[in-house]
Amino acid sequence: MKQILTLVLVVIAGMGLSMEAGFVGPLGEKVGRLSATLSIFLIGGLIFTLAMVFIGRPSLTKLFQQPRWLLTGGILGPVYVIVLTLTTPLVGVGTTMVGILCGQIAASLAIDHFGLLGSERRAIDAYRVLALVLILAALWLIY
């Protein structure tokens, strides 16, 4: 049951990413792409700051004691949102999200297979390769 609820939560989060693309693409055309990207992070940063103040105390000392490469993940969020802002008005939310999903699955399979970034190794099997091929086909068909 816990795994099913986890999968439902992940699907809902994916729906949220599609909604974010739907918001930030048009916003970028009206206020500028970098301004739209900044707005996403300012609002998110404000919400998380309030959550940390009222729910749990931040452990910034521990954060900055971690290996620097773990902190580079913060670069990927703005890159992702800038790509959403640029591509969504050009190809639509559906094509943008299927393309992003394709990249996510390809990278995820490599990370799992080789146990990269501290993750547990999970071998790529024929089903996972087939899933990637089907997502590539979906990208080709939707575009």
Side-chain angles (χ1 to χ4, degrees), residues 1-21:
M1 185 65 168
K2 183 179 178 182
Q3 287 181 333
I4 292 172
L5 291 174
T6 300
L7 290 175
V8 169
L9 184 62
V10 169
V11 169
I12 291 170
M15 294 169 133
L17 291 177
S18 294
M19 291 175 63
E20 181 178 41

Side-chain angles (χ1 to χ4, degrees), residues 68-85:
R68 297 293 181 244
W69 68 270
L70 286 175
L71 302 178
T72 61
I75 297 168
L76 300 175
V79 169
Y80 169 78
V81 176
I82 288 170
V83 169
L84 285 182
T85 307

Side-chain angles (χ1 to χ4, degrees), residues 124-132:
I124 295 177
D125 58 17
Y127 293 111
R128 291 178 178 215
V129 171
L130 178 61
L132 179 58

